[in-house]
Amino acid sequence: MSEFQFYMECLHKYQQNEPFTSFQTFFQQPTNAWMKGSSRLTSELKNSPLGRAVLDFWYRLGQKQDFLGLEGEYEVEPFLEDNTLPLEAVMEICSCDELVVLDLLDQGELVGKKSDGNWQISEQSVQYYQRSKQG
């Protein structure tokens, strides 16, 4: 599983409101793409972009499920803190039609959310998808 696939699995578990302790067990497995064989969380892992995202999901689940205290308000889904692009822009960037983009969203290759009937797609997920197709 690649780091991106691991991130998408964490995002899915977060969106499904995975039980806090189950999510914690999942992300601390030494065999996953984030831990890379380590049996403990190092500051390097915690401070990596993937680590910050995973721990953010973990913290938010802990707050929602009353395992952790609230240190600020979280009213926005994590990916929406990223710049978003409309569906049409993503179609142009990826040189594909609407059905392909919707399939990529469904498969977790892109991250997005429908708002007022229009798709808002994470710019970072589009950039990551583009890089993964090149390499």
Side-chain angles (χ1 to χ4, degrees):
M1 176 183 298
S2 71
E3 285 188 358
F4 183 69
Q5 290 168 326
F6 175 73
Y7 168 80
M8 293 307 298
E9 182 68 21
C10 288
L11 175 63
H12 176 74
K13 288 178 179 296
Y14 168 76
Q15 291 173 331
Q16 297 301 311
N17 201 30
E18 176 93 8
F20 178 74
T21 54
S22 175
F23 183 79
Q24 184 170 332
T25 300
F26 169 75
F27 80 72
Q28 288 183 334
Q29 294 174 353
T31 55
N32 71 43
W34 176 43
M35 295 293 286
K36 300 176 184 172
S38 178
S39 60
R40 63 184 193 81
L41 288 174
T42 63
S43 60
E44 181 181 337
L45 288 171
K46 290 177 188 177
N47 293 318
S48 70
L50 180 58
R52 289 192 311 268
V54 169
L55 292 174
D56 183 60
F57 292 142
W58 171 78
Y59 188 73
R60 290 168 187 260
L61 282 173
Q63 289 176 335
K64 281 202 269 187
Q65 297 171 19
D66 294 325
F67 279 91
L68 301 174
L70 186 62
E71 289 182 19
E73 295 298 319
Y74 290 100
E75 297 175 7
V76 178
E77 291 293 323
F79 81 89
L80 286 180
E81 294 171 359
D82 181 18
N83 293 328
T84 59
L85 300 168
L87 178 67
E88 294 76 17
V90 176
M91 290 167 43
E92 185 175 326
I93 292 167
C94 295
S95 301
C96 57
D97 63 26
E98 181 176 350
L99 290 176
V100 171
V101 174
L102 294 176
D103 280 345
L104 291 170
L105 285 162
D106 189 49
Q107 296 167 14
E109 294 290 328
L110 295 175
V111 178
K113 186 172 188 175
K114 222 171 191 181
S115 177
D116 296 325
N118 298 309
W119 278 100
Q120 296 298 313
I121 301 168
S122 162
E123 184 175 4
Q124 285 185 12
S125 75
V126 173
Q127 291 169 354
Y128 189 89
Y129 174 74
Q130 289 294 97
R131 284 194 305 272
S132 71
K133 296 312 268 177
Q134 294 172 356

